[in-house]
Amino acid sequence: MYKLMIVDDEEAIRNGIARGIPWNEWGFQVTAVLADGEEAIREIERDAPHVVLSDIRMPKKDGVELMQYLNQNYPEIKIVILSGYNDYEYLNMSIKNQVTEYLLKPTDVDEFEELFRKMKRRLDEEQERKEEYQALKKTQLESYFNKLLRGYGLTQEELEREFLLEDALEFYVVILKPDGKTGDRETAYRLGRELMAMGEEAFSADEMETRFFLSFEDYVVGIVRGKALKIPKEQLLHCVKKLGVETKEAFGWTVSAGISDSAGDFRMIPQCYEQAKCCISQKQFTDEEGCIIFYDELLEEEFPYETVFFDAERLLALLLKFQTEEIFGEIHGVVSKFRDRKLKEYGYVNRICQELLFRISRELLKYDLSLEELMREQGKRYTDLVDAASLEEKEAFLEEILEGVCKRLEGTLAENKKKNALAYTIRDLIDREYCLNIFSLEYAAGQVHKSAAYISRIFKNEFQCNFSDYVTRKRLEYSKSLLADPAKKVYEIAEEIGWADVSNYIKVFRRYYGTSPNEYRSSLGRKEPEA
């Protein structure tokens, strides 16, 4: 609803317009009904409307003075002049003061409806453009700050334009993160925006100057500085704790924070960002809510994490045996070693998890299985490991994927076993009946009650040889033994091995052995018998 102010010195007219017209149906709400321009100005300063509908001639400040005031101070407010005086002077004054519309009394409801429905469309379009502009401005501002995080050539002048560091005050980079699961990416984005707004408000209330934005890695990042040279750590600690209480009351989740060392040179912002990332990433190693970790307190433990990794060979062996409980135990044993640690090399856990999946992916290709396809079916991506907020989530991610691999392998290997048995049955059938003139792929398929395409595929997969090539080789090898008998004519041999066309038999024989049947017989010291 758009706010509408009605100004007319005649009480009956202003009340009649306010109450006798269905403003709500047209998208307007009457928020003020006033007698003159002076009252209107006071009300506008208190609660500015979107549209002012005003008479021209009124005591104290008249409509001309009101439109002049609005034109100078509130140019965005639309003005509709309603007057019974149709003269050039008032019309000219209206044009000069950018009056939106000019109506003559008496005006009926239809005229009001036509004008204000048009006004509503105009206000809607302006609001849409305004929202697009604000979204663009916000995007540009985030782009600006993300350049800052990457250390792209921003000048001191550019930084000063956005408040930063113009008087050498030290700053911190703060990363805020909701505790617990944030749902899908859309929900996480919405929570991030809410946390940005609440963060700005909380830090500002503590007399700190700040800019919060979403980083290129989807972190809620704040560049924070105080009024004094340096912000006391106790003040930052108090502010984040208070923010956690507020988010708990408003949304049911608390906030953890990673806070960099302080710095006074804007060229240190990328380094401070990495420090804050390192701090907030410690959250994955603990269940504690509301963690607030300062980089200068983050001392890496003497823990040889580089010696901790998954035994891929053992896990692959367990996968082939479908032993999910043992697999889960192996995963838990590795992941739990990182619990309650503080690691500056916080991405190590993600790397060993991804390396395990990459290794399994390569091995599964031997069984004509695609891990990536299986993950897509489960709605998972490799990057989900990085996005997982805790060790438990990473562990559950691996368990769900590997359990799916077990089930798929079990089914695939069982199917392969059936296919292998069928392939050997087909080969035995060929070995017994290949000399039949009717023997063919379709004949064999009918004997085992499968489709020709199916048995052709499984035969080739098992023996790395085409069905037809195997039959041809069997026939030709047998024909070589028959050629050793001088009493048999070549066409008789072709018929005996199931070859209806003797010329085709001779051509194929030459292609396989580089010689004709007669030449082969001669090499055995035999001659073709006379007909």
Coordinates of all heavy atoms in Angstrom, one line a residue, residues 180-262:
G180 N 25.8 -24.8 13.8 CA 24.9 -25.8 13.4 C 24.6 -25.8 11.9 O 25.2 -25.0 11.2
K181 N 23.7 -26.6 11.5 CA 23.4 -26.7 10.0 C 22.6 -25.5 9.5 O 21.7 -25.1 10.2 CB 22.7 -28.0 9.7 CG 23.5 -29.3 10.0 CD 22.8 -30.5 9.6 CE 23.6 -31.8 9.8 NZ 22.9 -33.0 9.4
T182 N 22.9 -25.1 8.4 CA 22.2 -23.9 7.8 C 21.3 -24.3 6.7 O 20.7 -23.5 6.0 CB 23.2 -22.8 7.3 OG1 24.1 -23.4 6.4 CG2 24.0 -22.3 8.5
G183 N 21.2 -25.6 6.4 CA 20.3 -26.1 5.3 C 20.9 -25.9 3.9 O 22.2 -26.0 3.8
D184 N 20.1 -25.8 2.9 CA 20.6 -25.7 1.6 C 21.3 -24.3 1.3 O 21.3 -23.5 2.2 CB 19.5 -25.9 0.5 CG 18.3 -25.0 0.7 OD1 18.5 -23.9 1.3 OD2 17.2 -25.3 0.4
R185 N 21.8 -24.2 0.1 CA 22.6 -23.0 -0.2 C 21.7 -21.7 -0.1 O 22.2 -20.7 0.3 CB 23.3 -23.1 -1.6 CG 24.3 -24.2 -1.6 CD 25.0 -24.2 -2.9 NE 25.9 -23.1 -3.1 CZ 27.1 -23.0 -2.6 NH1 27.7 -24.0 -1.9 NH2 27.9 -21.9 -2.8
E186 N 20.5 -21.9 -0.6 CA 19.6 -20.7 -0.6 C 19.3 -20.3 0.9 O 19.3 -19.1 1.2 CB 18.2 -21.1 -1.3 CG 17.3 -19.9 -1.4 CD 16.0 -20.3 -2.1 OE1 16.0 -21.3 -2.9 OE2 15.0 -19.5 -2.0
T187 N 19.1 -21.3 1.8 CA 18.8 -20.9 3.2 C 20.1 -20.3 3.8 O 20.0 -19.3 4.6 CB 18.4 -22.2 3.9 OG1 17.2 -22.8 3.3 CG2 18.1 -21.9 5.4
A188 N 21.2 -20.9 3.5 CA 22.5 -20.4 4.0 C 22.7 -19.0 3.5 O 23.2 -18.1 4.3 CB 23.7 -21.3 3.6
Y189 N 22.4 -18.7 2.3 CA 22.5 -17.3 1.8 C 21.6 -16.3 2.6 O 22.1 -15.3 2.9 CB 22.2 -17.3 0.3 CG 22.3 -15.9 -0.3 CD1 23.5 -15.4 -0.7 CD2 21.1 -15.2 -0.5 CE1 23.5 -14.1 -1.3 CE2 21.2 -13.9 -1.1 CZ 22.4 -13.4 -1.5 OH 22.4 -12.1 -2.1
R190 N 20.4 -16.8 2.8 CA 19.4 -15.9 3.5 C 19.9 -15.7 4.9 O 19.9 -14.5 5.4 CB 18.1 -16.6 3.5 CG 17.0 -15.8 4.3 CD 15.7 -16.4 4.2 NE 15.7 -17.8 4.7 CZ 15.7 -18.1 6.0 NH1 15.7 -17.2 6.9 NH2 15.7 -19.4 6.4
L191 N 20.4 -16.7 5.6 CA 20.9 -16.6 7.0 C 22.1 -15.6 7.0 O 22.3 -14.8 7.9 CB 21.3 -17.9 7.5 CG 20.2 -18.9 7.9 CD1 20.8 -20.2 8.4 CD2 19.3 -18.3 9.0
G192 N 23.0 -15.8 5.9 CA 24.1 -14.9 5.8 C 23.7 -13.4 5.7 O 24.4 -12.6 6.4
R193 N 22.7 -13.1 4.9 CA 22.2 -11.8 4.8 C 21.7 -11.2 6.1 O 21.9 -10.1 6.5 CB 21.2 -11.7 3.7 CG 21.7 -11.9 2.3 CD 22.5 -10.7 1.9 NE 23.0 -10.9 0.5 CZ 24.0 -10.1 0.0 NH1 24.5 -9.1 0.8 NH2 24.4 -10.3 -1.2
E194 N 20.9 -12.1 6.8 CA 20.4 -11.7 8.1 C 21.5 -11.4 9.1 O 21.5 -10.5 9.9 CB 19.4 -12.7 8.6 CG 18.1 -12.8 7.8 CD 17.3 -14.0 8.2 OE1 17.8 -14.9 8.9 OE2 16.1 -14.1 7.8
L195 N 22.5 -12.3 9.1 CA 23.6 -12.1 10.0 C 24.4 -10.9 9.7 O 24.9 -10.2 10.6 CB 24.5 -13.4 9.9 CG 25.6 -13.5 11.0 CD1 25.1 -13.4 12.4 CD2 26.3 -14.9 10.8
M196 N 24.6 -10.6 8.4 CA 25.3 -9.3 8.0 C 24.6 -8.1 8.7 O 25.2 -7.2 9.3 CB 25.2 -9.2 6.5 CG 26.3 -10.0 5.8 SD 25.9 -10.0 4.0 CE 25.8 -8.2 3.6
A197 N 23.2 -8.0 8.5 CA 22.5 -6.9 9.0 C 22.6 -6.8 10.5 O 22.8 -5.7 11.1 CB 21.0 -7.0 8.6
M198 N 22.5 -8.0 11.2 CA 22.5 -8.0 12.7 C 23.9 -7.6 13.2 O 24.1 -7.0 14.2 CB 22.1 -9.3 13.2 CG 20.6 -9.6 12.9 SD 20.0 -11.2 13.7 CE 19.9 -10.7 15.4
G199 N 24.9 -8.1 12.4 CA 26.3 -7.8 12.8 C 26.6 -6.3 12.7 O 27.2 -5.7 13.6
E200 N 26.2 -5.7 11.6 CA 26.4 -4.3 11.4 C 25.7 -3.5 12.6 O 26.3 -2.6 13.2 CB 25.7 -3.8 10.1 CG 26.5 -4.3 8.9 CD 27.0 -3.1 8.0 OE1 26.7 -2.0 8.4 OE2 27.8 -3.4 7.1
E201 N 24.5 -3.9 12.9 CA 23.8 -3.2 14.0 C 24.4 -3.4 15.3 O 24.6 -2.5 16.1 CB 22.3 -3.7 14.1 CG 21.4 -3.0 15.0 CD 20.0 -3.5 15.0 OE1 19.6 -4.2 14.0 OE2 19.3 -3.2 16.0
A202 N 24.9 -4.6 15.6 CA 25.5 -4.9 16.9 C 26.8 -4.2 17.1 O 27.1 -3.6 18.1 CB 25.8 -6.4 17.0
F203 N 27.7 -4.2 16.1 CA 29.0 -3.5 16.2 C 28.8 -2.0 16.2 O 29.5 -1.3 16.9 CB 29.9 -3.9 15.0 CG 30.6 -5.3 15.2 CD1 29.9 -6.4 14.9 CD2 31.8 -5.3 15.8 CE1 30.5 -7.7 15.1 CE2 32.4 -6.6 16.0 CZ 31.8 -7.7 15.6
S204 N 27.8 -1.5 15.5 CA 27.6 0.0 15.5 C 27.1 0.4 16.8 O 27.4 1.5 17.3 CB 26.5 0.3 14.4 OG 27.0 0.0 13.1
A205 N 26.3 -0.4 17.5 CA 25.7 -0.1 18.8 C 26.9 0.0 19.8 O 26.7 0.6 20.9 CB 24.7 -1.1 19.2
D206 N 28.0 -0.7 19.6 CA 29.1 -0.7 20.5 C 30.1 0.3 20.0 O 31.3 0.2 20.3 CB 29.7 -2.1 20.5 CG 29.5 -2.8 21.8 OD1 28.8 -2.3 22.6 OD2 30.1 -3.9 22.0
E207 N 29.7 1.3 19.2 CA 30.5 2.4 18.8 C 31.7 1.9 18.0 O 32.8 2.4 18.2 CB 31.0 3.2 20.0 CG 29.8 3.9 20.7 CD 30.3 4.9 21.7 OE1 31.5 4.8 22.1 OE2 29.5 5.7 22.1
M208 N 31.5 1.0 17.1 CA 32.5 0.5 16.2 C 32.0 0.7 14.7 O 30.8 0.6 14.5 CB 32.8 -1.0 16.4 CG 33.7 -1.2 17.6 SD 34.0 -3.0 17.9 CE 32.6 -3.5 18.7
E209 N 32.9 1.1 13.9 CA 32.5 1.4 12.5 C 32.8 0.1 11.7 O 33.9 -0.5 11.8 CB 33.4 2.5 11.9 CG 32.6 3.4 10.9 CD 33.4 4.6 10.6 OE1 34.3 5.0 11.3 OE2 33.0 5.3 9.6
T210 N 31.8 -0.3 10.9 CA 32.0 -1.6 10.3 C 31.3 -1.7 8.9 O 30.4 -1.0 8.7 CB 31.5 -2.8 11.2 OG1 31.7 -4.0 10.6 CG2 30.0 -2.6 11.4
R211 N 31.8 -2.6 8.1 CA 31.2 -3.0 6.8 C 31.1 -4.5 6.8 O 32.2 -5.1 6.8 CB 31.9 -2.4 5.6 CG 31.9 -0.9 5.4 CD 30.5 -0.5 5.1 NE 30.5 1.0 4.7 CZ 30.4 1.9 5.6 NH1 30.3 1.7 6.9 NH2 30.4 3.2 5.2
F212 N 29.9 -5.1 6.7 CA 29.8 -6.5 6.6 C 29.3 -6.8 5.2 O 28.6 -6.1 4.6 CB 28.7 -7.0 7.6 CG 29.3 -7.4 8.9 CD1 29.3 -6.5 10.0 CD2 29.9 -8.6 9.1 CE1 29.9 -6.8 11.2 CE2 30.5 -9.0 10.3 CZ 30.5 -8.1 11.4
F213 N 29.8 -8.0 4.7 CA 29.5 -8.4 3.3 C 29.7 -9.9 3.2 O 30.3 -10.5 4.1 CB 30.3 -7.6 2.3 CG 31.8 -7.7 2.5 CD1 32.6 -8.6 1.8 CD2 32.4 -6.9 3.4 CE1 33.9 -8.7 2.0 CE2 33.8 -7.0 3.6 CZ 34.5 -7.9 2.9
L214 N 29.2 -10.5 2.1 CA 29.5 -11.9 1.8 C 30.7 -12.0 1.0 O 30.8 -11.4 -0.1 CB 28.3 -12.5 1.1 CG 27.1 -12.9 1.9 CD1 26.0 -13.5 1.0 CD2 27.4 -13.8 3.1
S215 N 31.7 -12.8 1.4 CA 32.9 -12.9 0.7 C 32.7 -13.9 -0.5 O 31.7 -14.6 -0.6 CB 34.0 -13.5 1.6 OG 33.9 -14.9 1.7
F216 N 33.7 -13.9 -1.4 CA 33.6 -14.8 -2.6 C 33.6 -16.3 -2.2 O 33.4 -17.2 -3.0 CB 34.8 -14.5 -3.5 CG 36.2 -14.7 -2.9 CD1 36.9 -15.8 -2.9 CD2 36.7 -13.6 -2.2 CE1 38.1 -15.9 -2.3 CE2 38.0 -13.7 -1.6 CZ 38.7 -14.8 -1.6
E217 N 33.9 -16.6 -0.9 CA 33.8 -17.9 -0.4 C 32.6 -18.1 0.5 O 32.6 -19.1 1.3 CB 35.1 -18.3 0.4 CG 36.4 -18.2 -0.5 CD 37.7 -18.4 0.3 OE1 37.9 -17.5 1.1 OE2 38.4 -19.3 0.1
D218 N 31.7 -17.2 0.4 CA 30.4 -17.3 1.2 C 30.5 -17.2 2.7 O 29.7 -17.7 3.4 CB 29.6 -18.6 0.9 CG 29.2 -18.7 -0.6 OD1 28.9 -17.6 -1.2 OD2 29.1 -19.8 -1.1
Y219 N 31.6 -16.5 3.1 CA 31.7 -16.2 4.5 C 31.1 -14.8 4.8 O 31.1 -13.9 3.9 CB 33.2 -16.0 4.9 CG 33.9 -17.4 5.1 CD1 34.9 -17.7 4.2 CD2 33.6 -18.2 6.1 CE1 35.6 -18.9 4.3 CE2 34.3 -19.4 6.2 CZ 35.3 -19.8 5.3 OH 36.0 -21.0 5.4
V220 N 30.5 -14.6 6.0 CA 30.0 -13.3 6.4 C 31.2 -12.6 7.0 O 31.7 -13.0 8.1 CB 28.9 -13.4 7.4 CG1 28.5 -12.1 7.9 CG2 27.7 -14.1 6.8
V221 N 31.7 -11.6 6.3 CA 32.9 -10.9 6.7 C 32.7 -9.5 7.1 O 31.9 -8.8 6.4 CB 33.9 -10.9 5.5 CG1 35.3 -10.3 5.9 CG2 34.2 -12.4 5.0
G222 N 33.3 -9.1 8.2 CA 33.2 -7.7 8.6 C 34.6 -7.1 8.7 O 35.5 -7.7 9.2
I223 N 34.8 -5.8 8.2 CA 36.0 -5.1 8.5 C 35.6 -4.0 9.5 O 34.8 -3.2 9.3 CB 36.5 -4.4 7.2 CG1 36.8 -5.5 6.1 CG2 37.7 -3.6 7.5 CD1 37.3 -4.9 4.8
V224 N 36.2 -4.2 10.7 CA 35.7 -3.5 11.9 C 36.8 -2.6 12.4 O 38.0 -3.0 12.6 CB 35.3 -4.5 13.0 CG1 34.8 -3.8 14.2 CG2 34.2 -5.4 12.4
R225 N 36.5 -1.4 12.8 CA 37.4 -0.5 13.5 C 36.6 0.3 14.5 O 35.4 0.5 14.4 CB 38.1 0.4 12.6 CG 37.3 1.4 11.9 CD 38.1 2.3 11.0 NE 37.3 3.5 10.7 CZ 37.7 4.6 10.2 NH1 39.0 4.7 10.0 NH2 37.0 5.6 9.9
G226 N 37.3 0.9 15.5 CA 36.7 1.7 16.5 C 36.9 3.1 16.4 O 37.5 3.6 15.4
K227 N 36.5 3.9 17.4 CA 36.7 5.3 17.5 C 38.2 5.6 17.9 O 38.7 6.6 17.5 CB 35.7 6.0 18.4 CG 34.3 5.7 18.1 CD 33.9 6.2 16.7 CE 32.4 5.9 16.5 NZ 32.0 6.4 15.1
A228 N 38.7 4.8 18.8 CA 40.1 5.0 19.3 C 41.1 4.3 18.3 O 40.7 3.7 17.3 CB 40.2 4.4 20.7
L229 N 42.3 4.4 18.6 CA 43.4 3.9 17.8 C 43.2 2.4 17.6 O 43.3 1.8 16.5 CB 44.8 4.2 18.3 CG 45.9 3.7 17.5 CD1 45.9 4.3 16.1 CD2 47.3 3.9 18.2
K230 N 42.9 1.7 18.7 CA 42.7 0.2 18.6 C 41.6 -0.2 19.4 O 41.3 0.3 20.5 CB 44.0 -0.4 19.1 CG 44.1 -1.9 19.0 CD 45.4 -2.5 19.4 CE 45.5 -4.0 19.2 NZ 46.8 -4.5 19.5
I231 N 40.8 -1.2 18.9 CA 39.6 -1.7 19.7 C 40.1 -2.7 20.7 O 40.9 -3.6 20.4 CB 38.7 -2.4 18.7 CG1 38.3 -1.5 17.6 CG2 37.4 -2.9 19.5 CD1 37.5 -2.2 16.5
P232 N 39.8 -2.6 22.0 CA 40.1 -3.6 23.0 C 39.5 -4.9 22.6 O 38.3 -5.0 22.2 CB 39.6 -3.0 24.3 CG 39.3 -1.6 24.0 CD 39.0 -1.5 22.6
K233 N 40.2 -6.0 22.8 CA 39.7 -7.3 22.5 C 38.4 -7.6 23.3 O 37.5 -8.3 22.9 CB 40.8 -8.4 22.8 CG 41.9 -8.4 21.7 CD 43.0 -9.3 22.1 CE 42.6 -10.8 22.2 NZ 43.7 -11.7 22.4
E234 N 38.4 -7.1 24.5 CA 37.2 -7.3 25.4 C 36.0 -6.7 24.8 O 34.9 -7.3 24.9 CB 37.5 -6.7 26.8 CG 38.6 -7.3 27.6 CD 40.0 -6.9 27.1 OE1 40.0 -5.9 26.3 OE2 41.0 -7.5 27.5
Q235 N 36.1 -5.6 24.1 CA 35.0 -5.0 23.4 C 34.5 -5.9 22.2 O 33.3 -6.1 22.1 CB 35.4 -3.6 22.9 CG 34.2 -2.8 22.3 CD 34.6 -1.4 21.9 OE1 35.7 -1.0 22.0 NE2 33.6 -0.7 21.4
L236 N 35.4 -6.4 21.5 CA 35.0 -7.3 20.4 C 34.4 -8.6 20.9 O 33.3 -9.1 20.4 CB 36.3 -7.7 19.6 CG 36.9 -6.7 18.6 CD1 38.2 -7.2 18.1 CD2 35.9 -6.4 17.5
L237 N 34.9 -9.1 22.0 CA 34.4 -10.3 22.6 C 33.0 -10.1 23.1 O 32.0 -10.9 22.9 CB 35.3 -10.7 23.8 CG 35.1 -12.1 24.4 CD1 35.4 -13.2 23.4 CD2 36.0 -12.3 25.7
H238 N 32.8 -9.0 23.8 CA 31.4 -8.6 24.3 C 30.4 -8.4 23.2 O 29.3 -8.9 23.3 CB 31.5 -7.3 25.1 CG 30.2 -6.7 25.5 ND1 29.5 -5.8 24.8 CD2 29.4 -7.0 26.5 CE1 28.4 -5.5 25.3 NE2 28.2 -6.2 26.4
C239 N 30.8 -7.8 22.1 CA 29.9 -7.6 21.0 C 29.5 -8.9 20.3 O 28.3 -9.0 20.0 CB 30.7 -6.7 19.9 SG 29.6 -6.1 18.6
V240 N 30.4 -9.8 20.1 CA 30.1 -11.1 19.4 C 29.2 -11.9 20.3 O 28.2 -12.5 19.9 CB 31.3 -11.8 19.0 CG1 30.9 -13.2 18.4 CG2 32.1 -11.0 18.0
K241 N 29.5 -11.9 21.6 CA 28.6 -12.7 22.6 C 27.2 -12.1 22.6 O 26.2 -12.9 22.6 CB 29.2 -12.6 24.0 CG 30.4 -13.5 24.2 CD 30.9 -13.4 25.6 CE 32.1 -14.4 25.8 NZ 32.6 -14.4 27.2
K242 N 27.1 -10.8 22.6 CA 25.8 -10.1 22.6 C 25.0 -10.5 21.3 O 23.8 -10.8 21.3 CB 25.9 -8.6 22.7 CG 24.6 -7.9 22.7 CD 24.8 -6.4 22.9 CE 25.5 -5.8 21.6 NZ 25.6 -4.3 21.6
L243 N 25.8 -10.5 20.2 CA 25.2 -10.9 18.9 C 24.6 -12.3 18.9 O 23.6 -12.6 18.4 CB 26.2 -10.7 17.7 CG 25.8 -11.1 16.3 CD1 24.6 -10.3 15.9 CD2 26.9 -10.9 15.4
G244 N 25.4 -13.2 19.6 CA 25.0 -14.6 19.7 C 23.7 -14.7 20.5 O 22.8 -15.5 20.1
V245 N 23.5 -13.9 21.5 CA 22.3 -13.9 22.3 C 21.1 -13.5 21.5 O 20.0 -14.0 21.5 CB 22.5 -13.0 23.6 CG1 21.1 -12.9 24.3 CG2 23.5 -13.6 24.5
E246 N 21.4 -12.4 20.7 CA 20.3 -11.9 19.8 C 19.9 -12.8 18.7 O 18.7 -13.0 18.5 CB 20.8 -10.5 19.2 CG 21.0 -9.4 20.2 CD 21.6 -8.2 19.6 OE1 22.1 -8.2 18.5 OE2 21.7 -7.2 20.3
T247 N 20.8 -13.5 18.1 CA 20.5 -14.5 17.0 C 19.8 -15.7 17.6 O 18.9 -16.3 17.0 CB 21.7 -14.9 16.2 OG1 22.7 -15.5 17.1 CG2 22.3 -13.7 15.5
K248 N 20.2 -16.0 18.9 CA 19.5 -17.2 19.5 C 18.0 -16.9 19.8 O 17.1 -17.7 19.6 CB 20.2 -17.5 20.8 CG 19.7 -18.7 21.6 CD 20.1 -20.0 20.9 CE 19.7 -21.2 21.7 NZ 20.1 -22.5 21.0
E249 N 17.8 -15.6 20.3 CA 16.4 -15.2 20.5 C 15.6 -15.1 19.3 O 14.4 -15.4 19.2 CB 16.4 -13.9 21.3 CG 17.0 -14.0 22.7 CD 17.1 -12.6 23.4 OE1 16.9 -11.6 22.7 OE2 17.4 -12.6 24.6
A250 N 16.2 -14.6 18.2 CA 15.5 -14.3 17.0 C 15.3 -15.5 16.1 O 14.2 -15.7 15.5 CB 16.2 -13.2 16.2
F251 N 16.3 -16.3 16.0 CA 16.3 -17.4 15.0 C 16.6 -18.8 15.6 O 16.4 -19.8 14.9 CB 17.4 -17.2 13.9 CG 17.2 -15.8 13.2 CD1 18.1 -14.8 13.5 CD2 16.1 -15.6 12.4 CE1 18.0 -13.6 12.8 CE2 16.0 -14.4 11.8 CZ 16.9 -13.4 12.0
G252 N 17.0 -18.9 16.8 CA 17.3 -20.2 17.5 C 18.7 -20.7 17.3 O 18.9 -21.9 17.6
W253 N 19.6 -19.9 16.7 CA 21.0 -20.4 16.5 C 21.9 -19.3 17.0 O 21.6 -18.1 17.0 CB 21.3 -20.7 15.1 CG 20.8 -19.8 14.0 CD1 19.7 -20.0 13.3 CD2 21.3 -18.6 13.6 NE1 19.5 -19.0 12.4 CE2 20.5 -18.1 12.5 CE3 22.4 -17.8 13.9 CZ2 20.7 -16.9 11.9 CZ3 22.7 -16.6 13.2 CH2 21.8 -16.2 12.2
T254 N 23.1 -19.8 17.5 CA 24.1 -18.9 18.0 C 25.1 -18.6 17.0 O 25.0 -19.1 15.8 CB 24.8 -19.5 19.3 OG1 25.3 -20.8 18.9 CG2 23.8 -19.6 20.4
V255 N 26.1 -17.8 17.3 CA 27.1 -17.4 16.3 C 28.5 -17.6 16.8 O 28.8 -17.4 18.0 CB 27.0 -15.9 16.0 CG1 28.1 -15.4 15.2 CG2 25.6 -15.6 15.3
S256 N 29.4 -18.2 16.0 CA 30.8 -18.3 16.3 C 31.5 -17.2 15.4 O 31.0 -16.8 14.4 CB 31.3 -19.7 16.0 OG 30.8 -20.6 16.9
A257 N 32.7 -16.9 15.9 CA 33.5 -15.8 15.2 C 34.9 -16.2 15.1 O 35.5 -16.7 16.1 CB 33.2 -14.5 15.9
G258 N 35.6 -15.8 14.0 CA 37.0 -15.9 13.9 C 37.5 -14.4 13.7 O 37.0 -13.7 12.8
I259 N 38.5 -14.0 14.5 CA 38.9 -12.6 14.5 C 40.4 -12.6 14.3 O 41.2 -13.2 15.0 CB 38.6 -11.9 15.8 CG1 37.0 -12.1 16.1 CG2 39.0 -10.5 15.8 CD1 36.6 -11.6 17.4
S260 N 40.8 -11.8 13.3 CA 42.2 -11.6 12.9 C 43.0 -10.8 13.9 O 42.4 -10.2 14.8 CB 42.3 -11.0 11.5 OG 42.0 -9.6 11.6
D261 N 44.3 -10.7 13.7 CA 45.1 -9.7 14.4 C 44.7 -8.4 13.9 O 44.1 -8.2 12.8 CB 46.6 -9.9 14.1 CG 47.2 -11.2 14.8 OD1 46.5 -11.6 15.8 OD2 48.2 -11.7 14.4
S262 N 45.0 -7.3 14.7 CA 44.7 -6.0 14.3 C 45.7 -5.5 13.3 O 46.9 -6.0 13.3 CB 44.6 -5.0 15.5 OG 45.9 -5.0 16.1

